[in-house]
Amino acid sequence: MRLKIASRQGGLARIQAYRVSEALRGLEPNLELEFEFRSSFGDRNLDIAMDGAVEKGLFTQDFYDGLVSGDFDLVVHSGKDLPTEAR
């Protein structure tokens, strides 16, 4: 089985993605993993004030869209950046 894991480009995000991949390989040693590290809308638009920003998912929408479109199978993301409202 092959999985493509996506995450943000920063150091912490990469560490988290690699830790998740290690746990998955512990469950399925023959698992083939591919990583895609990319910037999010929030990373590319640093001029937006985070406090009071109208947009939800500044750091997650790109990844959500990638999951829906099938660009990748799994996203590893810090909970602190996730919108708190249900979709």
Side-chain angles (χ1 to χ4, degrees):
M1 178 180 213
R2 183 175 180 84
L3 287 178
K4 187 171 188 179
I5 299 174
S7 187
R8 289 173 66 200
Q9 294 176 343
L12 177 59
R14 287 175 182 265
I15 290 169
Q16 291 169 327
Y18 293 139
R19 296 281 310 262
V20 167
S21 73
E22 291 168 5
L24 291 171
R25 277 212 180 100
L27 297 171
E28 181 57 53
N30 296 323
L31 188 62
E32 293 180 42
L33 297 171
E34 179 182 347
F35 296 92
E36 181 169 331
F37 298 106
R38 57 167 66 173
S39 62
S40 67
F41 176 85
D43 296 319
R44 294 185 306 272
N45 295 279
L46 297 176
D47 57 331
I48 297 173
M50 295 300 132
D51 60 341
V54 176
E55 297 88 0
K56 300 292 183 201
L58 294 174
F59 296 97
T60 58
Q61 186 64 47
D62 299 328
F63 294 100
Y64 176 79
D65 293 343
L67 281 172
V68 171
S69 68
D71 289 345
F72 30 81
D73 305 299
L74 175 73
V75 174
V76 176
H77 210 292
S78 293
K80 66 180 176 51
D81 293 328
L82 295 174
T84 56
E85 300 165 355
R87 289 189 179 258

